Amino acid sequence: MSTFFCRHFESWRIRPGARLACNLTSLAISASIAAGFLPGAQAAAQSVRPGPSDDFRAAFATSQDVAEGKRLADASCARCHGANGISTAKGVPHLAGQRAVFLHQEMKAYRSGARGKSMMADAAKFLSDDALIKVAAWYASLDPAPPIPVAMPKTAGSGPDPVSAGKAAAAGCGSCHGEAGISSIPGMPNLVGLDPKYLAAATNAYKGGQRKHDLMKALVSGLGEADVSNIALFYATQKPGRAQTPAPGNVAAGKAAAAACAGCHGESGIGAGATPGLAGQDAQYFVAAMRAYKDGSRADPLMKGPAAAVGDPALADLAAYYASLPPQAPKVVKTLDTGDWAQRCDRCHGVNGNSTDPRVPAIAAQRADYLERILNAYRTGARKSTAMSAMSKVLTEAEVGMLAAYYSQQKARAVVYVQLPARP
């Protein structure tokens, strides 16, 4: 049974009699990290290699394989990825020092069409599996790209804390909605007691025109994604209270009518996630919103039917009932900063993005524009991976930019994989 281990360069030694084991059948890797990398290092190993069906062949390429890989790469890949695997083209990744097994797997995915139609798919479809292995081995043998400093984007995780940033961004909202989000003007909604996901979605609906309101659209049109997120978080953290506005209507009758609404909005009008809380809401705003769902000026198939079933007299009663209820502060998830996100990414991609698993790509010193493009592809589902989709779907565009900039500035380290003989 063969075993192998990997080491980040520079200096590595095996003490006489030491056992550095990692069973290929379990695909687990014993690895350690040193301080730098050995210039000109090759991901080469012994001439004894795994069987032809084993995806780990690229990690154990011979020096002849690497030389042939250079010839193939110069002819097929260098125009886009650079003569030494260091790209100068926007959105095109560096390949120098990348993990050989990962490169082999990715090129096979392009060749099979799993990555869709692209220049890469066109280039890879003419290469045999043996050629892909040799190209992967060549690029893995090269010195990685040096980190390139880029400006870290301002996000919810940088600069002032998100709540303070949200308070500053919401400075213009107080004249209508109250300084702390509790309305005292009839027709102006309370903003407290709402889940930040709902409030952000509602703000973006005004911004995009899905909710028809010319004044609101003009007021929010200049807000960026981080601003909208921070404003929603600011109001979610304020002490909740009922709107300080009149609520004509029969509260008892409204309570009876509200039984049909409890399935989504809760028996006490406490919403969660994308479902708005109604407790303590301004009555006039509530009636106007229900009428908008009725006539279709607010397009929402889930609300159109229930709103159409409520007549105008009953609307006033419902509004009075919900206005009488005390709102509750929503549960707010801690906002993660750059370090928090990086710790999560490092679990698979290695410390500071230097993977020690030959199947997992190193992302240290990778081009920021490429990392941003790929993360957004996983985030939107354009690129498929169960693990990557689960990690990236919760990221905002701003957080994607932040992570891409962070990893592009990390020092990349080369890795060698050495095959060891089985114990007698």
Side-chain angles (χ1 to χ4, degrees):
M1 183 181 297
S2 296
T3 59
F4 76 99
F5 75 98
C6 64
R7 299 283 287 198
H8 283 267
F9 284 117
E10 68 198 354
S11 68
W12 57 272
R13 296 177 182 173
I14 305 176
R15 290 182 289 104
R19 291 283 302 169
L20 294 172
C22 175
N23 197 319
L24 272 175
T25 60
S26 67
L27 301 183
I29 296 166
S30 172
S32 63
I33 299 172
F37 64 86
L38 181 63
Q42 289 189 352
Q46 311 301 323
S47 58
V48 179
R49 294 158 60 189
S53 63
D54 197 320
D55 277 342
F56 281 81
R57 286 179 296 167
F60 302 114
T62 65
S63 57
Q64 291 86 355
D65 290 334
V66 172
E68 178 64 11
K70 179 184 186 308
R71 187 188 68 78
L72 291 165
D74 286 346
S76 303
C77 314
R79 184 175 61 178
C80 295
H81 294 282
N84 293 308
I86 298 177
S87 169
T88 58
K90 184 177 180 180
V92 177
H94 301 313
L95 300 183
Q98 187 54 271
R99 307 323 183 219
V101 176
F102 167 74
L103 283 177
H104 179 213
Q105 291 173 340
E106 283 296 287
M107 287 190 287
K108 286 200 300 181
Y110 279 113
R111 188 181 62 183
S112 69
R115 294 285 187 232
K117 294 182 178 180
S118 67
M119 290 180 64
M120 266 301 300
D122 291 339
K125 69 183 179 182
F126 297 109
L127 296 174
S128 68
D129 198 51
D130 188 60
L132 295 183
I133 288 171
K134 292 172 180 177
V135 168
W138 157 246
Y139 281 120
S141 76
L142 298 172
D143 291 343
I148 301 176
V150 297
M152 290 291 288
K154 294 182 179 180
T155 69
S158 62
D161 71 271
V163 174
S164 298
K167 181 178 181 180
C173 308
S175 58
C176 293
H177 298 282
E179 291 300 322
I182 298 176
S183 174
S184 59
I185 302 175
M188 293 296 170
N190 251 17
L191 300 182
V192 293
L194 298 173
D195 189 285
K197 291 180 182 177
Y198 167 76
L199 190 53
T203 304
N204 285 325
Y206 284 119
K207 186 177 177 181
Q210 291 83 12
R211 287 193 178 186
K212 309 298 181 184
H213 196 292
D214 292 340
L215 178 59
M216 273 299 296
K217 183 173 183 178
L219 290 173
V220 301
S221 61
L223 296 176
E225 185 180 10
D227 294 324
V228 171
S229 176
N230 291 339
I231 289 172
L233 187 62
F234 165 68
Y235 284 119
T237 58
Q238 301 309 294
K239 183 178 180 180
R242 292 190 292 265
Q244 303 300 299
T245 54
N250 186 311
V251 172
K255 181 177 182 180
C261 310
C264 294
H265 296 280
E267 292 185 4
S268 300
I270 307 300
T275 302
L278 303 178
Q281 188 53 271
D282 169 71
Q284 187 173 320
Y285 168 77
F286 177 89
V287 171
M290 290 289 282
R291 286 174 176 163
Y293 287 124
K294 270 188 179 185
D295 63 26
S297 56
R298 277 198 189 183
D300 188 325
L302 293 177
M303 278 302 300
K304 186 173 179 62
V310 182
D312 283 351
L315 276 181
D317 296 338
L318 269 175
Y321 169 66
Y322 281 121
S324 72
L325 298 175
Q328 292 182 13
K331 294 180 180 179
V332 177
V333 178
K334 176 185 179 290
T335 302
L336 301 179
D337 61 18
T338 307
D340 295 325
W341 281 119
Q343 284 182 3
R344 295 186 176 195
C345 299
D346 286 355
R347 293 171 192 170
C348 293
H349 292 282
V351 176
N352 297 326
N354 283 291
S355 167
T356 56
D357 186 328
R359 300 161 299 176
V360 178
I363 54 178
Q366 185 56 271
R367 288 186 64 97
D369 48 20
Y370 169 76
L371 289 175
E372 191 168 349
R373 177 168 69 83
I374 294 303
L375 272 173
N376 276 320
Y378 284 123
R379 175 174 168 255
T380 60
R383 195 164 183 170
K384 307 298 182 184
S385 166
T386 302
M388 281 301 301
S389 295
M391 287 294 293
S392 59
K393 70 181 180 181
V394 296
L395 295 170
T396 64
E397 287 186 13
E399 287 167 336
V400 166
M402 171 189 71
L403 275 172
Y406 170 80
Y407 279 109
S408 72
Q409 298 178 60
Q410 303 307 304
K411 182 178 176 64
R413 304 178 188 279
V415 167
V416 66
Y417 298 93
V418 179
Q419 192 174 16
L420 301 178
R423 176 183 290 181

